Amino acid sequence: MQVNETLNEGLKRGYHIIVTAEELNAKVEQKLVEAQPDVEMKGFRKGKVPLALLKKQFGPRLTGEAMQESVDGAMQKHFEETGDRPAMQPDVQMTNKNWNEGDDVEVDMTYEALPDIPEFDASTISLEKLVVTPDETAVDDALTQLAESAQNFEAKDGAAEDGDQVVIDFVGSIDGEPFEGGAAQDYPLTLGSNSFIPGFEEQLKGAKAGDEVEVTVDFPADYQAAHLAGKQASFACTVKEVKAPAKAEINDDLAKQFGAEDLEGLKGQIRERLVAEYGQASRAVMKRQLLDRLDEKVSFDLPPSLVDAEAKQIAHQLWHEENPDVEGHDHANIEPDAEHMKLAERRVRLGLLLAELGRKHEVQVTDAEMTQAVMNQARQYPGQERQFFEFVQQNPQARQQIQAPLFEDKVVDLVFDQADVTEKEITKEELQEAVQKLEEDETV
């Protein structure tokens, strides 16, 4: 086997690989010998079929396998010997396409090698960690929001209004015949919640306790129950009680609704949650600082193919953000501009740098961390969590999309530990401003 260099320009590499006919034939013969003991053929005992007959019947298929294995082996050996790591899948083309049995196999392989990442001393990087201590005002504001979310209803005199809750008994019928699932007693329905069939809640506005109301609605054509879809139904409703919304009081009873023993316990939980929220926001700001420092501090050649692919992805994503009505990809080709290329270069540079840091420090995403991340994402699909798990297990690209940010965060934490970090006490408002600026100037 021969491997001759044909291109060495920047990060671009090219090689001409020759697998001789003798090498290929030897590999085919080896495959035939390995397969012979298990082959059965009419007229011969198992394992006694002559090699010449096996070659006649299975030779073409085994030759194709031998070609692929020989080229793959040559590529693997080349990468092991040179230390090259291709930025993307190498382009491999057979040059003697009119190959006949007895000919050498000749292949051209081209790729862009990943660059050598220069060493740098993380301790020379200075970062500022923003620290916010939750004050009583922040805790009280959070308590107020909890009280609003734990809204109660209290009985009222007078007609039901939007936002009120009516307690009703109802029986539904179609053409005078009650239908299954169309009746309930003491059902609490909040007017304006749109939790019932369109038009139902509006007809109960103005009703008072003790009123009998006949509600007529049309089931939507795409209603989930096929036997009701598109049909008109009448509901005989008895309004048993009308209640107005009442803000929950901030006391021990409210605390118990949220799993705390008393109000002080709930306040403690809120402080812990606020500390975690402020910490996450502060980390995001400090991560941006770190990436900016790394972008300024470390420079190396970038594989053009990676930059081009990233620029096209950025341009495509931004175009869809500007054209939200276009859901599919049936649109004109979107060419990246200079700003897209600049952003792509930054992303590729930082991505390669963090990947190399993780590789050198043997950073790993554990199975437990991966499982937790998949579980967190699965919660976004209520009722379909199992299907999501199976999809991720069977889709390497999906697994990589979940694993990549976990790996990056672990590498970032590694650099945080080595960097010169000083803490700065600020207010909640100042942290919000820093986060807002981060979002307005999102570049990574």
Side-chain angles (χ1 to χ4, degrees):
M1 185 177 299
Q2 303 172 27
V3 180
N4 300 314
E5 186 177 77
T6 59
L7 175 65
N8 190 331
E9 183 181 308
L11 296 175
K12 295 181 180 179
R13 301 286 185 271
Y15 296 89
H16 186 67
I17 301 173
I18 299 176
V19 180
T20 66
E22 291 77 10
E23 291 171 318
L24 185 63
N25 186 61
K27 200 168 189 65
V28 172
E29 292 288 340
Q30 179 185 352
K31 285 179 171 291
L32 289 172
V33 170
E34 291 173 352
Q36 187 181 35
D38 298 319
V39 175
E40 295 185 58
M41 190 176 292
K42 188 175 181 180
F44 299 93
R45 286 181 297 160
K46 181 179 179 181
K48 298 300 182 179
V49 181
L51 288 177
L53 190 56
L54 289 178
K55 186 171 185 179
K56 183 178 180 180
Q57 182 163 348
F58 301 110
R61 177 173 64 82
L62 294 179
T63 298
E65 292 179 3
M67 281 183 181
Q68 187 65 54
E69 290 175 6
S70 296
V71 173
D72 289 347
M75 290 170 55
Q76 182 177 352
K77 182 179 179 182
H78 163 74
F79 291 130
E80 290 174 353
E81 291 177 348
T82 62
D84 278 357
R85 289 178 294 147
M88 300 183 74
Q89 185 69 25
D91 180 40
V92 180
Q93 300 291 336
M94 190 170 178
T95 57
N96 54 339
K97 296 182 179 179
N98 296 321
W99 180 87
N100 293 306
E101 186 175 356
D103 293 345
D104 295 340
V105 177
E106 300 188 29
V107 169
D108 280 341
M109 174 179 68
T110 56
Y111 61 90
E112 290 175 359
L114 288 175
D116 292 328
I117 311 296
E119 297 279 352
F120 76 96
D121 185 359
S123 65
T124 63
I125 297 178
S126 297
L127 300 173
E128 187 175 69
K129 181 179 181 180
L130 305 179
V131 179
V132 178
T133 302
D135 56 20
E136 288 306 309
T137 300
V139 174
D140 290 343
D141 289 343
L143 274 173
T144 300
Q145 292 176 2
L146 286 179
E148 291 174 352
S149 69
Q151 188 180 66
N152 295 319
F153 289 92
E154 296 179 352
K156 64 173 264 188
D157 292 328
E161 302 173 335
D162 199 29
D164 286 349
Q165 185 183 86
V166 290
V167 179
I168 58 175
D169 293 344
F170 62 85
V171 177
S173 59
I174 296 178
D175 297 331
E177 293 293 330
F179 58 88
E180 185 179 354
Q185 292 184 328
D186 296 323
Y187 189 93
L189 176 62
T190 301
L191 303 185
S193 64
N194 298 319
S195 57
F196 265 31
I197 307 163
F200 192 106
E201 296 169 20
E202 286 78 0
Q203 297 178 55
L204 289 172
K205 291 178 183 178
K208 299 178 182 178
D211 285 355
E212 301 284 343
V213 180
E214 189 75 19
V215 173
T216 303
V217 295
D218 293 321
F219 282 97
D222 58 351
Y223 193 66
Q224 57 187 2
H227 67 290
L228 300 176
K231 295 184 178 180
Q232 187 178 81
S234 294
F235 289 84
C237 302
T238 300
V239 181
K240 303 177 77 172
E241 195 172 8
V242 176
K243 298 181 177 182
K247 182 178 177 181
E249 293 186 18
I250 299 176
N251 53 26
D252 290 345
D253 290 335
L254 174 68
K256 291 175 182 177
Q257 289 186 46
F258 290 94
E261 292 186 2
D262 52 28
L263 185 58
E264 283 306 311
L266 180 59
K267 287 183 177 181
Q269 292 179 7
I270 290 174
R271 288 190 189 92
E272 291 178 2
R273 176 173 59 82
L274 290 175
V275 167
E277 290 178 0
Y278 296 158
Q280 290 175 356
S282 173
R283 186 185 187 282
V285 175
M286 191 164 75
K287 179 179 177 180
R288 168 56 61 81
Q289 290 179 32
L290 172 62
L291 296 178
D292 288 344
R293 302 286 191 279
L294 293 176
D295 192 34
E296 298 166 357
K297 195 177 186 67
V298 184
S299 178
F300 48 86
D301 292 336
L302 302 176
S305 59
L306 288 184
V307 175
D308 184 59
E310 185 67 27
K312 288 179 179 178
Q313 181 177 338
I314 292 169
H316 191 263
Q317 178 183 344
L318 293 178
W319 186 89
H320 273 282
E321 290 178 2
E322 295 169 358
N323 299 271
D325 295 336
V326 182
E327 295 183 359
H329 302 289
D330 185 18
H331 51 69
N333 188 42
I334 303 166
E335 289 296 329
D337 58 24
E339 285 300 314
H340 299 145
M341 293 298 294
K342 182 179 179 181
L343 177 52
E345 289 175 356
R346 172 186 166 100
R347 287 187 178 181
V348 170
R349 181 181 300 108
L350 292 172
L352 291 176
L353 176 57
L354 294 176
E356 181 65 9
L357 285 172
R359 187 180 72 87
K360 287 184 176 179
H361 290 85
E362 300 182 346
V363 173
Q364 298 289 333
V365 176
T366 66
D367 290 342
E369 291 167 337
M370 189 66 185
T371 299
Q372 185 61 53
V374 175
M375 288 177 60
N376 292 339
Q377 291 205 20
R379 293 191 184 100
Q380 300 175 23
Y381 308 95
Q384 300 181 351
E385 292 87 350
R386 181 177 178 181
Q387 292 92 321
F388 182 80
F389 265 100
E390 293 175 352
F391 169 75
V392 172
Q393 288 175 346
Q394 299 168 7
N395 191 318
Q397 185 175 1
R399 285 186 61 82
Q400 176 60 25
Q401 289 177 345
I402 296 174
Q403 187 182 57
L406 299 177
F407 176 84
E408 180 179 294
D409 281 343
K410 296 187 81 168
V411 176
V412 166
D413 287 337
L414 176 74
V415 181
F416 281 165
D417 291 339
Q418 299 175 358
D420 178 22
V421 180
T422 58
E423 295 187 353
K424 179 182 179 182
E425 285 276 354
I426 62 171
T427 65
K428 177 184 71 173
E429 290 72 25
E430 290 172 326
L431 179 60
Q432 289 173 338
E433 289 177 6
V435 172
Q436 184 175 357
K437 184 176 184 301
L438 192 72
E439 294 171 348
E440 293 173 350
D441 187 33
E442 186 64 43
T443 58
V444 292

